[in-house]
Amino acid sequence: MRTPHRMDPDPHPRPHDHSEAPPDPYEELGALDDGPLDEFLGGTTEQWTEQQPEREPEWTPPVHRRGGRRRRRRFAGLPLAAKAVVSLVVLAAFVTLADRWALLYAEHKAADTLKDQLDLAAAPEVEIGGFPFLTQVADKRLDSVRVTVPDVSADRVSLAKVSATAHDIRLDADGLTSVRGAHVPRLDGDVLLSFADLNRELGASQVMFTGDGRDRVKARGILPVAGHDLRLRAEATIRRQGERGIGTQIGGIRLDIGDLATYRPGTRASDGLHLTPKASADVARETRKAKALLSVPAAVQRLGVPKAAVREALSDDGKLAELTGSPRFARQAQTLNLIDLALDNPEVLRGLGLDPDLLDALSQLTRPALADRLSLAFRLPEPKTGDMRLQYVRVEKEGIRVRLTGSGLALGSS
């Protein structure tokens, strides 16, 4: 690299010409024919330009599709539309939440009101239908209200469940918190009298009730009488009684004293206390029991045995076996009403293996008394306003179901 020439001071300086422009340092720098920049680049600027020609941009086909800008504008507006949709969804969620909260409040309030007005042990379940709820309140009209009341006391039994749905209810209200009453033009529902409740309340867990067709109920179990557990059998026919109640006709009542005798309450010839076929055969076979029976004149008279034959039988065991061994004697022994014999001859019954105290208790256990203990009847309370009646009664697997209807009912001050 050559060292630039150093400028020596002019020995004959000239006076300063103020009209001449001062030198441009950039022009002086450009006037240098050689310098470090040229050497660094390896040549002059022209040479570098010749060695590295400028590249032209690659050719791309023009876009001729229509609506390109329009499509870009549409996608550009998507975030705003999404925000609007999200806002609407959030607003709808809040409105729905407020409506559901108001609905729950109204259902809770109605349940407490019904509990107080109907004097129930627990608040019923209230379900208000229709959506939205707040618009119905504003219109003072509800599409439907379903009320379910468990364990309603009805005479001697409890109704397992009373469910009713009111339709087109008109409200007497000034708002959600100021409902004074309601008018129910139409109501329908059903009542369930469960067999489980009947078993607990009527049978004291010893008598079981089961369905036997569409209108019949069977009762089977144990009935304690005078210290003895007697097997109970009975049938009840279920019928509607009037417009607000159901009644039961109890029939086929039978109490078995083991394999010894059967008691049927009533006044017919087949009613009363009678020996079973097995017990009759035992009497005919056992000498002691046969003589105890033939020693009672009333029994001999009802057996239709001649007095002379009875005297021979009581004095001769062979004649006794001949008399009691006939099939006719066993059949006749079954027709004897032992309760009638017990009144005057209690010792005879002891000879047959029967407890006189039990027979005395059975004589007081009349048909009406037993029927009352097994009665499944109940009656719905009469409403203060409007009309409520039973439509039909049906026996189902789980219990007795009664369909009910109502009209013109009013709650509260309406």
Side-chain angles (χ1 to χ4, degrees), residues 24 44 127 167 206-207 229 248 258 393 407:
D24 188 353
T44 62
E127 182 180 353
H167 305 274
Q206 298 186 71
V207 177
D229 291 336
T248 53
V393 182
S407 60

Side-chain angles (χ1 to χ4, degrees), residues 4-329:
H5 297 284
R6 186 170 54 188
M7 302 297 292
D8 297 329
D10 191 355
H12 304 287
R14 290 176 294 180
H16 181 68
D17 187 1
H18 295 283
S19 63
E20 184 178 358
D24 188 353
Y26 294 100
E27 292 181 359
E28 292 180 356
L29 182 62
L32 297 176
D33 58 350
D34 193 6
L37 183 62
D38 293 334
E39 292 183 0
F40 176 76
L41 296 175
T44 62
T45 306
E46 290 81 0
Q47 293 175 350
W48 178 261
T49 305
E50 292 177 359
Q51 293 177 2
Q52 299 292 334
E54 184 180 358
R55 294 184 178 180
E56 295 182 0
E58 296 183 1
W59 178 85
T60 57
V63 179
H64 297 288
R65 290 177 299 178
R66 295 182 180 181
R69 290 183 179 179
R70 187 183 307 167
R71 181 167 299 178
R72 285 194 295 271
R73 290 175 183 173
R74 184 181 303 168
F75 285 109
L78 180 59
L80 182 59
K83 291 179 181 179
V85 171
V86 172
S87 300
L88 289 176
V89 171
V90 172
L91 178 61
F94 274 109
V95 171
T96 303
L97 182 62
D99 187 84
R100 295 299 93 184
W101 179 89
L103 176 65
L104 292 176
Y105 172 82
E107 290 176 344
H108 179 74
K109 196 72 175 178
D112 290 341
T113 302
L114 289 174
K115 177 179 179 296
D116 295 338
Q117 290 188 357
L118 300 179
D119 193 22
L120 302 175
E125 298 178 7
V126 178
E127 182 180 353
I128 301 176
F131 180 83
F133 169 69
L134 290 176
T135 58
Q136 297 184 74
V137 174
D139 195 32
K140 297 183 179 181
R141 184 182 296 270
L142 299 177
D143 292 344
S144 65
V145 176
R146 181 175 179 82
V147 179
T148 302
V149 186
D151 299 329
V152 179
S153 178
D155 298 335
R156 297 173 56 242
V157 297
S158 296
L159 306 180
K161 184 171 65 175
V162 178
S163 299
T165 302
H167 305 274
D168 302 325
I169 305 99
R170 296 195 295 272
L171 300 176
D172 178 14
D174 294 328
L176 180 61
T177 59
S178 60
V179 179
R180 292 178 293 273
H183 179 71
V184 181
R186 183 170 61 91
L187 178 143
D188 58 73
D190 56 58
V191 175
L192 175 64
L193 179 61
S194 72
F195 290 135
D197 291 339
L198 292 175
N199 297 339
R200 182 182 66 253
E201 298 174 0
L202 295 183
S205 301
Q206 298 186 71
V207 177
M208 306 294 292
F209 294 87
T210 56
D212 185 26
R214 292 180 58 87
D215 62 347
R216 293 175 65 85
V217 175
K218 293 189 302 184
R220 299 289 187 272
I222 300 298
L223 185 66
V225 178
H228 297 266
D229 291 336
L230 309 185
R231 291 197 305 269
L232 170 68
R233 298 183 183 183
E235 285 79 34
T237 303
I238 310 299
R239 291 188 177 91
R240 192 180 68 174
Q241 195 172 50
E243 296 181 347
R244 281 182 292 274
I246 66 169
T248 53
Q249 182 178 355
I250 308 298
I253 301 176
R254 171 178 169 178
L255 294 173
D256 293 330
I257 308 173
D259 295 332
L260 184 59
T262 298
Y263 174 70
R264 294 181 176 89
T267 57
R268 296 174 300 180
S270 59
D271 296 333
L273 182 64
H274 299 271
L275 293 174
T276 64
K278 179 179 180 303
S280 299
D282 291 342
V283 169
R285 188 169 52 251
E286 297 181 17
T287 303
R288 180 180 58 83
K289 292 182 178 180
K291 286 184 176 182
L293 185 62
L294 292 175
S295 63
V296 180
V300 172
Q301 182 180 1
R302 294 180 184 178
L303 288 173
V305 181
K307 294 181 180 180
V310 171
R311 286 194 298 268
E312 291 179 358
L314 291 176
S315 59
D316 186 350
D317 290 346
K319 294 291 184 179
L320 178 64
E322 183 180 347
L323 175 63
T324 59
S326 65
R328 180 178 179 276
F329 180 85

